[in-house]
Amino acid sequence: MVMSRIQKIPVVEEKKGNPLARVFDDLVRFCRSRSLFILHYCTGCGAIELPPAMTSRFDMERLGIQPMVSPRQADILLITGYVSIKTLKRVILTYEQMGSPKYVVGICSCTVNGGMYWQSYATAKKLDEYMPVDLYIAGCMPRPEAVISGLQKLMDRIKSGEADSWQDYYQNYDYYLGNQQKLFGEDWQTPTDIITEAKHYELMGEGTLGEHTRLLEQHQNPLEALEMRLGHNIKEPIE
Amino acid sequence: MPALSKASFLEHSHSSADPKLKNKRNDMRPENYEAQRQPPSNEYELNFGPNHPGIEGNYALKVKLHGDIVLEAKADGGYLHRGFEKLMEQRLWIQNIALVPRICVPDPSPMELCYSMAVEELCGLKVPQRAQWLRVMQLELSRIAAHLFTFGGHAATTGMYSTMYWGVADRDLLLDLFEEFTGGRVYSIYNIPGGVRRELPDGFLQRLTETLDYIESRLPDYDNLFFKNQVFVKRAKGTGVMSREQALEWGVTGPNLRATGLAFDVRRDDPYLVYDQLEFDIPVEESGDAWARTLVRRKELMESIRILRQVVEILPDIHGPIRAPIPNPLAWNVPAGETYTRVESSKGELCYYVVSNGGPKPYRVHVRGPSSMHAVQVLEKMSVGSRIEDIAQTMFSLDACPPEVDR
Ligand code: SF4
């Protein structure tokens, strides 16, 4: 089954009326790009080039990039290589726990198209079917210089506001969830309530809800449960 | 409609599908979580990994604790499983050379060598002398690099990050050498069945000597910073102890076995390549704890440097081809048969069991990696009774390599 993905809606609209707000946005984005914390989850063999890139020889810290141990405080999720299906579940859980704005960088050819393991029964082939990816660094494995230059490119994209794939996850949640369900089974769900978060960020797009999220609701009624907790009445239907 | 009470909501949703599954799914949600009455206890369970700064690679342990004392540990691997043994059955004999180094990332060279040796044995290929010396050089360089990396990781688990920075930076010098003579920084893919792929570049042995001199001159600094550091000595002594009998029973090999006082090394006891023409010692320690294991590696690093110096001396006098002639690799039918080869990697004894049915692809390949024993059964048993902060140290002192466990 080929699933179509709804085209990204540009959300960072120009605040034409208020130049001050524009300057402020630029400033925020600049600050964001200069202080990035990497959640370094060694999913595959590309992780072996990360220690050289982080330590004295290539020294990522001079760019303001540092490793961080907890997903809640991290900005970048580095996927360092092939993701087996067991790992992919953890990667998705981790990704959903991270606070927005968050960026995903896929290091290694294996995240792009399966790489060496294109015919393996145990690995997920294309990472961007399961979560939005901001940047790929191809190579088997990419050298530390390539990793650093890739991260610099990411910094530029953050500065200019192009790195907004995290919004894509909310806007096209149905597409990503559908692919995840294809891999993990129809009863797949995570403890994070993406639909409520999408409402919170005002990022409900055309692709947020669909047949796959309906499946999710059929299983566990996330909105109902959440709104109950908040003490609201549920009146309008979700579609 | 008035807001439903929690209980009625649960009931309502239960009625719509299979109640058993329903229950399970609803329990995952924090809002559906109900505290359960448990008998009073000080025990609790903790997931250690896979996304944890103290764990080596993508690997997990489920530990049961009382306070901070580990009562039980269960290894949870499979995060790095790629199905190597199946993949190898689907590729040509020569293509597998590119696949095998990925089995153990920090020390990939013994993997290619062991596989090449197996194919050579099946085909009855004779490897030229010069290729054998080049292979020894590659193996020992890889061993030094892997040990430096392990020291760094081990030091980081005891809080000494400067050793990690040094170890990784010095390992990078060796990776530069690898890049120069094999073309790859980490995965060299230098061996092929029958020999090696390229000649040395001009002046390489000179640069190798310089790097060795440099690393040797750094060792006193490492001693002061790490090996004699009381922080390390006090924490590592008495951590993760195993006796010689236990080690033999659990299938422990390599530096971990030698740290219990048994001088067993495949390089000396079942020599392959030209190791029987080289002079080197097998360092041993008696106490069998994390400290002894690290010290064995520290001494082994010296021995590797000694071997490399001999290689540098002898290699210029050995001339000849670097590769035995092999048939067209794309239509290469290896004669039917089976073989078992073993080499000493930096982690322990590495073996390949290869079966051929006379076809263009292997019929079956089995990899016996040392870490499958170290990271699963040994780590599970050694963690019991230790404190939670020592688990990471125990794992690094065993030098377990998760990709090799999962394959
Ligand atoms: S691209 Fe190569 S180095 Fe990276 S994860 Fe895949 S096999 Fe490993």
Side-chain angles (χ1 to χ4, degrees):
Chain A
M1 181 172 54
V2 181
M3 263 176 283
S4 62
R5 202 164 126 241
I6 289 154
Q7 210 47 47
K8 219 191 288 183
I9 308 157
V11 173
V12 195
E13 74 243 19
E14 289 291 304
K15 295 201 176 61
K16 288 204 184 75
N18 191 346
L20 208 62
R22 208 161 58 224
V23 171
F24 184 69
D25 274 4
D26 284 351
L27 188 67
V28 166
R29 282 205 295 266
F30 173 76
C31 297
R32 233 173 231 163
S33 74
R34 299 301 297 187
S35 147
L36 293 171
F37 286 86
I38 294 182
L39 179 73
H40 176 196
Y41 181 13
C42 335
T43 55
C45 32
I48 198 98
E49 286 290 34
L50 264 276
M54 278 176 190
T55 54
S56 354
R57 189 163 184 207
F58 296 100
D59 197 9
M60 226 138 69
E61 232 171 283
R62 68 206 148 97
L63 302 174
I65 303 176
Q66 265 200 349
M68 166 52 70
V69 292
S70 107
R72 301 268 185 212
Q73 287 136 308
D75 304 305
I76 303 181
L77 179 59
L78 272 193
I79 309 288
T80 53
Y82 57 89
V83 273
S84 67
I85 291 170
K86 189 172 178 182
T87 306
L88 185 62
K89 284 187 187 173
R90 274 76 178 170
V91 168
I92 291 168
L93 287 183
T94 313
Y95 176 71
E96 292 185 353
Q97 279 176 38
M98 287 167 64
S100 304
K102 51 195 169 185
Y103 312 101
V104 180
V105 179
I107 293 188
C108 276
S109 309
C110 282
T111 55
V112 183
N113 57 8
M116 297 282 302
Y117 311 116
W118 57 273
Q119 87 223 94
S120 163
Y121 58 82
T123 60
K125 305 297 176 309
K126 291 183 183 163
L127 185 63
D128 55 9
E129 286 183 353
Y130 308 101
M131 56 173 61
V133 179
D134 281 288
L135 194 87
Y136 280 121
I137 305 171
C140 180
M141 52 204 36
R143 307 166 53 89
E145 293 99 319
V147 173
I148 288 179
S149 98
L151 288 171
Q152 269 174 326
K153 212 161 264 166
L154 179 72
M155 286 167 65
D156 291 342
R157 288 174 68 87
I158 294 174
K159 227 180 288 176
S160 66
E162 285 169 278
D164 55 358
S165 74
W166 61 277
Q167 299 172 347
D168 194 48
Y169 193 64
Y170 294 117
Q171 285 161 353
N172 284 311
Y173 182 52
D174 190 52
Y175 165 78
Y176 293 113
L177 185 71
N179 286 330
Q180 292 165 13
Q181 281 172 349
K182 247 197 305 183
L183 206 57
F184 309 138
E186 292 206 331
D187 58 343
W188 161 255
Q189 63 154 8
T190 55
T192 321
D193 199 333
I194 295 297
I195 300 170
T196 315
E197 276 186 20
K199 277 186 180 169
H200 172 77
Y201 289 120
E202 296 176 355
L203 285 174
M204 293 290 278
E206 268 174 67
T208 308
L209 299 171
E211 47 175 325
H212 305 292
T213 45
R214 249 200 301 286
L215 213 55
L216 194 73
E217 280 149 23
Q218 181 195 326
H219 285 314
Q220 38 135 30
N221 288 326
L223 291 180
E224 206 179 322
L226 195 99
E227 289 184 359
M228 240 166 21
R229 198 181 55 187
L230 300 175
H232 298 313
N233 283 350
I234 323 135
K235 275 283 152 249
E236 62 285 25
I238 311 141
E239 285 87 10
Chain B
M1 189 176 89
L4 294 165
S5 77
K6 187 178 268 180
S8 69
F9 162 66
L10 284 178
E11 245 164 50
H12 161 73
S13 60
H14 279 189
S15 57
S16 59
D18 179 11
K20 223 169 110 198
L21 270 177
K22 209 72 281 181
N23 223 346
K24 199 180 111 231
R25 282 189 206 112
N26 275 319
D27 282 353
M28 271 183 79
R29 293 261 154 194
E31 61 268 16
N32 294 335
Y33 177 76
E34 299 264 4
Q36 281 174 10
R37 201 168 273 283
Q38 299 275 9
S41 159
N42 290 331
E43 292 172 12
Y44 60 103
E45 275 184 26
L46 206 65
N47 279 344
F48 192 79
N51 180 3
H52 187 282
I55 201 102
E56 187 175 4
N58 196 351
Y59 195 68
L61 283 176
K62 289 206 169 73
V63 285
K64 199 167 169 193
L65 297 152
H66 179 281
D68 60 355
I69 306 291
V70 179
L71 298 176
E72 205 185 314
K74 200 102 200 85
D76 175 21
Y79 295 102
L80 292 169
H81 180 63
R82 291 147 280 176
F84 266 111
E85 294 173 3
K86 200 72 200 160
L87 286 180
M88 286 169 79
E89 290 166 17
Q90 300 165 7
R91 297 188 189 194
L92 300 179
W93 290 96
I94 200 87
Q95 283 178 316
N96 281 335
I97 284 291
L99 200 57
V100 283
R102 269 104 183 147
I103 296 178
C104 184
V105 193
D107 187 17
S109 301
M111 291 284 168
E112 351 174 321
L113 175 82
C114 198
Y115 174 76
S116 305
M117 273 167 57
V119 180
E120 281 151 16
E121 220 168 285
L122 284 172
C123 297
L125 280 175
K126 208 149 160 26
V127 183
Q129 272 291 310
R130 189 168 168 86
Q132 299 202 15
W133 284 90
L134 288 172
R135 282 176 169 187
V136 168
M137 188 179 83
Q138 186 208 10
L139 283 186
E140 295 304 319
L141 274 174
S142 176
R143 192 184 313 275
I144 298 180
H147 281 343
L148 283 173
F149 204 52
T150 314
F151 294 153
H154 191 171
T157 61
T158 51
M160 287 180 278
Y161 280 92
S162 26
T163 316
M164 185 187 88
Y165 276 55
W166 284 14
V168 172
D170 286 346
R171 167 178 171 270
D172 236 71
L173 299 177
L174 296 170
L175 296 191
D176 282 353
L177 290 181
F178 266 112
E179 191 175 9
E180 196 181 336
F181 85 95
T182 69
R185 250 169 78 85
V186 177
Y187 296 143
S188 34
I189 315 181
Y190 185 58
N191 293 287
I192 56 167
V196 295
R197 274 177 50 214
R198 3 179 141 186
E199 244 318 330
L200 288 183
D202 286 344
F204 177 78
L205 293 179
Q206 175 62 28
R207 287 188 287 282
L208 174 61
T209 316
E210 280 164 18
T211 310
L212 291 181
D213 288 344
Y214 173 74
I215 287 186
E216 214 164 23
S217 73
R218 293 276 284 173
L219 286 176
D221 292 343
Y222 275 101
D223 283 344
N224 288 334
L225 187 71
F226 180 51
F227 296 102
K228 289 186 199 154
N229 191 329
Q230 283 307 303
V231 175
F232 167 66
V233 174
K234 285 205 168 132
R235 279 198 60 183
K237 269 196 177 162
T239 304
V241 188
M242 64 178 150
S243 67
R244 192 184 303 178
E245 290 70 36
Q246 280 174 327
L248 289 173
E249 195 181 311
W250 293 341
V252 174
T253 49
N256 300 337
L257 180 62
R258 295 195 278 279
T260 62
L262 190 71
F264 178 80
D265 190 320
V266 185
R267 287 178 292 173
R268 195 196 56 188
D269 296 318
D270 182 11
Y272 50 97
L273 299 180
V274 286
Y275 276 112
D276 46 359
Q277 302 172 31
L278 288 162
E279 243 179 62
F280 60 98
D281 295 330
I282 312 289
V284 286
E285 283 287 329
E286 295 298 328
S287 56
D289 51 10
W291 181 78
R293 289 194 283 275
T294 309
L295 225 63
V296 166
R297 288 202 186 91
R298 158 80 176 75
K299 291 180 186 164
E300 240 175 49
L301 206 146
M302 293 296 296
E303 293 303 319
S304 288
I305 293 180
R306 196 169 140 202
I307 293 175
L308 279 172
R309 288 203 192 287
Q310 295 173 42
V311 172
V312 170
E313 228 167 73
I314 296 174
L315 198 53
D317 301 334
I318 296 174
H319 303 287
I322 53 165
R323 222 179 8 240
I326 54 169
N328 174 8
L330 299 181
W332 188 4
N333 291 337
V334 169
E338 56 185 279
T339 181
Y340 190 74
T341 47
R342 57 180 185 169
V343 302
E344 181 82 21
S345 83
S346 71
K347 326 260 171 212
E349 190 178 325
L350 166 74
C351 314
Y352 267 72
Y353 176 60
V354 182
V355 184
S356 166
N357 59 358
K361 295 167 185 173
Y363 178 71
R364 175 84 174 93
V365 182
H366 175 70
V367 187
R368 184 262 185 222
S371 302
S372 348
M373 285 76 204
H374 298 161
V376 183
Q377 43 194 356
V378 179
L379 185 61
E380 272 177 8
K381 291 190 176 109
M382 277 213 294
S383 309
V384 174
S386 78
R387 297 173 57 160
I388 178 150
E389 64 264 29
D390 282 337
I391 296 180
Q393 192 187 172
T394 311
M395 185 166 184
F396 272 92
S397 76
L398 285 169
D399 202 0
C401 176
E404 192 202 285
V405 181
D406 298 338
R407 292 197 286 277

